[in-house]
Amino acid sequence: MSDAMVLDGARAEGLATVREVPAPGLIALKGDLGAPALADAVRAVTGCAVPGLRRIEAAGAARAGWMAPDELLLVAPREAVPGALSTLEARLAAAHHLAADVSDMRAVFRLEGQGAREVLAKLAPVDLAPGAFEPGELRRTRLAQVPAAFWMEQGGFTLVCFRSVARYAFDLLAGAAAPGGEVGHFA
Amino acid sequence: MLLLTCPHCGIDADETELSPGGEAHLTRHGPGATDEDVEAYLFLRDNPRGVHLERWRHANGCGKWFVAARCTVTLEVFGTYPAQTARPPQHVLDAIEAKRPGATRKLPVMEGAR
């Protein structure tokens, strides 16, 4: 089992394909999102601009997602994380901030296929209708009883939750995607 | 089911995405305060039939605290605003007054503002 995976790449097929994917490098960055120093640091580490309210910016494999008015989630390859943390520390030395490597604290899933919106809509109190939720938006919410965040990319959803609830989250998604559970609301 | 708009992230959050935090705008009486003030701060809460200001946390979202002004009878929501606000902002007071004339004067937080 890779350290980056909790469930050994568990996979379920149904209305949508649910699969665990290796967690990339994830950095939680807290600070003043309006500060030019923070914008410089985020661009240096990810190549992305500071995302606007509830948005996620992408540059190659890197992402910068808006998590809270004072918090970003930075996504980068795992091997780039130590370098990214030292870059952040150097560029934000004068600013009140916190940068933490949370890669090993998260589980990451991909949700792909026709029914992906519907599967997620069964579990989260979010309007997932086409037009209401589109690529470029990051949503922090709950998945049944656990917190999760997700965004759309490459024709599906990428979903991040706490590593400790990975099995619960996977079982939820697999259950919601089980064949025979079609609602057809977004069809 | 309540839908409250989080003033920090703009999401119309379902009640299940939020955690309730009880009555808003309490004065924190700490060391040096009288026993009565400490008791009131710790234990005594308003339970009005009507307009109420209450704290909520967008727990399964941006994680921030805010205050919602709502009616405990009809569940009508008059507005939400960040918790880092000493008094309800004017647009929320106006929204309450428009629907419940005179109600804002009865809010404990408005005592002394008159």
Side-chain angles (χ1 to χ4, degrees):
Chain A
M1 188 175 95
S2 156
D3 279 340
M5 290 207 271
V6 194
L7 307 174
D8 221 1
R11 188 184 175 95
E13 305 273 352
L15 312 185
T17 302
V18 183
R19 58 192 175 92
E20 191 200 9
V21 294
L26 298 166
I27 297 170
L29 176 64
K30 291 197 119 186
D32 177 1
L33 302 192
L38 188 133
D40 285 349
V42 170
R43 189 171 290 284
V45 169
T46 62
C48 301
V50 173
L53 189 72
R54 304 203 310 271
R55 304 296 294 174
I56 182 164
E57 301 283 340
R63 306 276 180 277
W66 191 96
M67 297 292 273
D70 57 357
E71 182 180 349
L72 298 179
L73 176 71
L74 307 182
V75 184
R78 277 205 168 223
E79 57 276 13
V81 170
L85 286 175
S86 35
T87 306
L88 288 173
E89 190 170 325
R91 302 225 174 191
L92 294 172
H96 180 63
H97 76 285
L98 178 147
D101 177 4
V102 296
S103 316
D104 292 335
M105 291 166 57
R106 302 285 185 270
V108 182
F109 298 97
R110 279 286 294 170
L111 199 55
E112 288 151 337
Q114 283 279 313
R117 280 180 185 272
E118 188 167 298
V119 168
L120 212 45
K122 287 183 185 183
L123 300 169
V126 177
D127 185 356
L128 284 157
F133 194 93
E134 291 292 337
E137 182 164 356
L138 182 152
R139 183 67 149 86
R140 277 178 90 178
T141 181
R142 70 181 173 88
L143 213 57
Q145 299 188 55
V146 295
F150 54 76
W151 61 90
M152 290 185 81
E153 58 188 1
Q154 296 153 25
F157 290 87
T158 301
L159 186 142
V160 178
C161 69
F162 286 117
R163 187 184 178 99
S164 56
V165 295
R167 170 52 66 183
Y168 176 83
F170 177 80
D171 288 350
L172 277 179
L173 292 165
E182 296 89 348
V183 180
H185 186 63
F186 300 135
Chain B
M1 183 69 75
L2 277 171
L3 277 178
L4 300 176
T5 305
C6 173
H8 298 287
C9 64
I11 285 172
D12 292 329
D14 182 287
E15 188 179 338
T16 60
E17 216 173 81
L18 307 167
S19 302
E23 187 181 341
H25 301 298
L26 297 177
T27 302
R28 186 190 182 286
H29 291 287
T34 65
D35 287 354
E36 287 72 24
D37 280 347
V38 173
E39 184 204 13
Y41 163 61
L42 287 177
F43 302 115
L44 304 186
R45 294 292 179 270
D46 255 18
N47 185 20
R49 184 173 182 278
V51 179
H52 195 213
L53 305 177
E54 54 192 14
R55 304 171 76 226
W56 288 87
R57 181 172 172 259
H58 197 181
N60 286 320
C62 67
K64 300 300 175 195
W65 284 96
F66 63 93
V67 179
R70 69 178 184 102
C71 176
T72 59
V73 178
T74 63
L75 301 192
E76 179 176 3
V77 178
F78 302 108
T80 56
Y81 51 96
Q84 295 77 11
T85 313
R87 285 181 195 289
Q90 196 58 43
H91 71 271
V92 172
L93 293 174
D94 291 345
I96 297 172
E97 279 298 317
K99 293 286 180 64
R100 307 279 190 283
T104 57
R105 276 181 286 120
K106 295 181 193 149
L107 295 172
V109 64
M110 299 310 288
E111 281 174 15
R114 278 170 276 167

